[in-house]
Amino acid sequence: MCVRWSGTAHAWHVGTGFSKPGTRSRKGAAKIVNARGIKMAATHIGAGSCCLALAALVSTIAPPGRGVAAQQPTAHVVFMTAVEIKGSTTSDKLRPPSTNPTDLSKGYGFTPPGDADRNAPQKWEVSSYLFAPGFITVHQGDSVTLTVFVVNGDSHEVRVVAPDGRAVMPARTWHRGQEYRVSFVAERVGTYQLSCSAHAPTMTASILVLPR
C-alpha cells in the first residue's frame, strides 16, 4: 500500500500502484482528484476497500505547502477561589501529629488540643490554604484573565511570575471578601505561577503554557 502526492495532478494517489497524471488509475489503485477528498475513483479488486479507507484518511491531510492555518490565540477567563481547607478530630480517636505541620510549610495550619475548642479539650485541627482550581493549561499567545474571590484568610500577599521569573503582577495584598482580577498574555512557554508568599507553597496556582 502506497501514498503519494502528485504536485502536477494536484491529487493524492493511494494503492498498490500509482497512476501517471492525466491517465486512468491502474488496477489496485485509488486516486483522490481533490486533496480534500471530495472526488475519487477506485477499482474493485480485493484490496479496493482498504484503498478507499486509506484514501479517506489521506483526504484529511493537507497536501505539501497547503498546511492548515495557524490556530488563533484564545482568550481564557478563569474564576478562582482563595480558600482554607480544614479538618479536625479528637485526640481520643487519633493522636495529634508529632511534628507541628506549620514547621513543614507556611501553607499549613495546626491548632492543638485545648485551643481548637475550649468546650471540647480533646479536639485538634489542621488546615491548608490554596487556590482552586490550582492548575490551568493554555497555549502560547493566549490571553489569560484570572478572577479570584478571597473566601478565607484576612489577607494574602499575592503576585504572578512568568516562567523566567519576571513579575507579571507585582506583589499585592488581597483581602477576604474581595474579588480581584489579573490579566496577562502567555508569551512564554512554561509555567506561570499565582502564589501567596504568606502561605506558599500550597497556596499556588500554576498556569502551564504549551507551544502553539
Side-chain angles (χ1 to χ4, degrees), residues 50-126:
C50 182
C51 290
L52 285 173
L54 185 55
L57 174 62
V58 173
S59 70
T60 64
I61 305 174
R66 297 185 184 182
V68 178
Q71 183 181 359
Q72 296 300 311
T74 301
H76 301 270
V77 178
V78 182
F79 290 87
M80 306 178 74
T81 307
V83 295
E84 180 186 20
I85 306 299
K86 291 186 176 183
S88 64
T89 187
T90 55
S91 55
D92 60 322
K93 295 179 180 179
L94 181 66
R95 294 174 57 185
S98 56
T99 301
N100 190 324
T102 59
D103 294 333
L104 303 176
S105 171
K106 294 185 295 183
Y108 298 157
F110 175 64
T111 307
D115 293 340
D117 188 342
R118 294 184 179 181
N119 295 320
Q122 293 182 311
K123 181 178 179 180
W124 56 275
E125 185 177 82
V126 291

Side-chain angles (χ1 to χ4, degrees), residues 4-14 19-25 29-43 51-52 54-56 58-64 66:
R4 183 184 66 179
W5 167 254
S6 172
T8 303
H10 299 290
W12 287 104
H13 294 269
V14 183
S19 297
K20 294 182 179 179
T23 64
R24 296 181 61 185
S25 299
K31 184 175 77 170
I32 299 176
V33 177
N34 188 305
R36 296 181 180 177
I38 297 176
K39 184 178 180 181
M40 69 172 71
T43 56
C51 290
L52 285 173
L54 185 55
V58 173
S59 70
T60 64
I61 305 174
R66 297 185 184 182

Side-chain angles (χ1 to χ4, degrees), residues 1-4 13-19 25-30 51:
M1 186 68 64
C2 303
V3 180
R4 183 184 66 179
H13 294 269
V14 183
T16 57
F18 295 125
S19 297
S25 299
R26 286 205 314 235
K27 189 175 182 179
C51 290

